[in-house]
Amino acid sequence: MNVEVRYYSKSGNTKKIANAIAKQVGISAKSIHEPLQGEVDILFLGTGIYAFDIDPELKEYISTLNPTSIKMVVVFSTAAIVKSAYEKTKKYLQAQGLNVSEKEYHCPGHYMILRTGRPNSDDIKKAEQFAKSIINSL
């Protein structure tokens, strides 16, 4: 099974979660600036929310994804204010013709004075458990 983890992170919050997911799966997390190679069974795709939307750079990345070479995308996210990036990310992924898992992982992210210390060790453990549950469900 080919599993990949890609993320877009401005502050490092989403990168922390991406690394936790990748560690659990036994691979390395990579930024969206590193293209996918070959067929992918599961793409864990992570983002934060910036000005109540996903970043235009992530939208551009999604537009380059080939739906015939990716079986399923699993969304994970961090944000200081909103509860999840799932719906916004899912909208762009589905518009590209990609299959999006109904399961997602989200945790608060630190921004300025909000959510200090997040993601924390508990968030990291939960991200690892989430990744394990996705892989075990296949």
Side-chain angles (χ1 to χ4, degrees):
M1 175 182 325
N2 186 19
V3 179
E4 295 286 340
V5 177
R6 293 293 186 278
Y7 65 89
Y8 180 83
S9 183
K10 287 184 177 182
S11 64
N13 295 325
T14 305
K15 182 178 180 179
K16 287 179 185 177
I17 299 302
N19 286 333
I21 289 170
K23 177 184 170 188
Q24 185 64 40
V25 178
I27 60 174
S28 295
K30 299 175 183 169
S31 87
I32 61 169
H33 300 104
E34 294 192 44
L36 295 172
Q37 301 295 322
E39 301 288 315
V40 176
D41 295 304
I42 300 172
L43 170 61
F44 286 94
L45 183 62
T47 186
I49 291 288
Y50 309 99
F52 299 98
D53 201 0
I54 63 173
D55 194 87
E57 201 169 336
L58 181 63
K59 292 176 191 176
E60 176 61 30
Y61 174 75
I62 290 170
S63 76
T64 69
L65 296 176
N66 181 350
T68 62
S69 60
I70 302 169
K71 289 185 182 174
M72 180 173 53
V73 180
V74 179
V75 175
F76 63 96
S77 63
T78 63
I81 299 172
V82 297
K83 295 191 185 267
S84 171
Y86 178 77
E87 289 301 326
K88 292 190 181 287
T89 308
K90 177 182 168 184
K91 178 178 84 170
Y92 292 102
L93 290 165
Q94 287 182 329
Q96 185 65 15
L98 291 152
N99 180 30
V100 182
S101 172
E102 292 180 8
K103 297 178 182 177
E104 65 151 332
Y105 179 76
H106 175 81
C107 75
H110 173 80
Y111 177 72
M112 299 176 75
I113 63 168
L114 301 173
R115 312 286 189 194
T116 302
R118 304 298 290 274
N120 59 28
S121 61
D122 190 48
D123 298 323
I124 299 296
K125 286 178 191 171
K126 288 178 182 175
E128 291 172 348
Q129 292 168 349
F130 172 75
K132 186 176 182 178
S133 73
I134 294 293
I135 298 303
N136 288 342
S137 71
L138 301 177

